[in-house]
């Protein structure tokens, strides 16, 4: 459910930013220009999880968040929203709610676990 709320919040922000004047006060797809793409977005660190697994190398932020006093509730990316395991469900939810697009990222250290090289 946390994932869904994030999706809706982002969609609303995009919508308001692109419609200067609303006559009716009601938003619908018809309120937007033809071809307007409704989407949502996530960032790897906040949703991916599996921070120490799946071939992902360490990043500076992994170390920083584990130092006491830096992050509320000692939250880390170790599990996050666990999109690593639930990405199919997440995409199903995006389709169910009729989004056209999904912008996401993959942790760079999953692609370059040692920072550089292969
Ligand atoms: C966060 O970690 C610190 C240091 O280990 C601990 O004292 C504190 O109780 C933890 N806070 C929470 C909300 O778990």
């Amino acid at each position: 459910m946390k994932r869904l709320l994030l999706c809706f919040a982002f969609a609303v922000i995009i919508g308001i930013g692109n419609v200067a004047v609303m006559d009716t006060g009601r938003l619908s797809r018809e309120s937007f220009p033809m071809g307007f793409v409704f989407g949502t977005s996530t960032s790897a660190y906040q949703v991916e999880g599996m921070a120490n697994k799946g071939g992902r190398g360490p990043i500076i932020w992994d170390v920083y968040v584990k130092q006491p006093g830096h992050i509320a509730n000692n939250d880390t990316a170790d599990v996050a929203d666990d999109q690593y395991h639930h990405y199919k469900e997440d995409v199903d939810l995006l389709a169910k709610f009729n989004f056209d697009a999904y912008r996401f990222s993959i942790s760079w250290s999953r692609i370059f676990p040692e920072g550089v090289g292969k």
Side-chain angles (χ1 to χ4, degrees), residues 20-101:
V21 178
M22 297 302 299
D23 293 338
T24 65
R26 293 186 57 190
L27 286 176
S28 69
R29 284 205 174 230
E30 291 68 40
S31 307
F32 293 82
M34 191 76 129
F36 188 92
V37 176
F38 285 84
T40 187
S41 172
T42 60
S43 179
Y45 194 84
Q46 283 77 33
V47 299
E48 198 173 59
M50 291 282 282
N52 306 315
K53 299 172 188 155
R56 182 182 179 280
I59 61 173
I60 292 169
W61 200 250
D62 294 332
V63 176
Y64 178 79
V65 301
K66 288 182 179 167
Q67 293 171 352
H70 285 167
I71 303 295
N73 301 316
N74 299 327
D75 287 338
T76 70
D78 293 356
V79 177
D81 285 339
D82 200 18
Q83 190 163 80
Y84 188 96
H85 291 112
H86 296 282
Y87 70 94
K88 288 181 182 175
E89 290 168 65
D90 291 345
V91 171
D92 285 346
L93 288 171
L94 295 172
K96 179 179 174 184
F97 286 99
N98 212 21
F99 281 110
D100 305 316

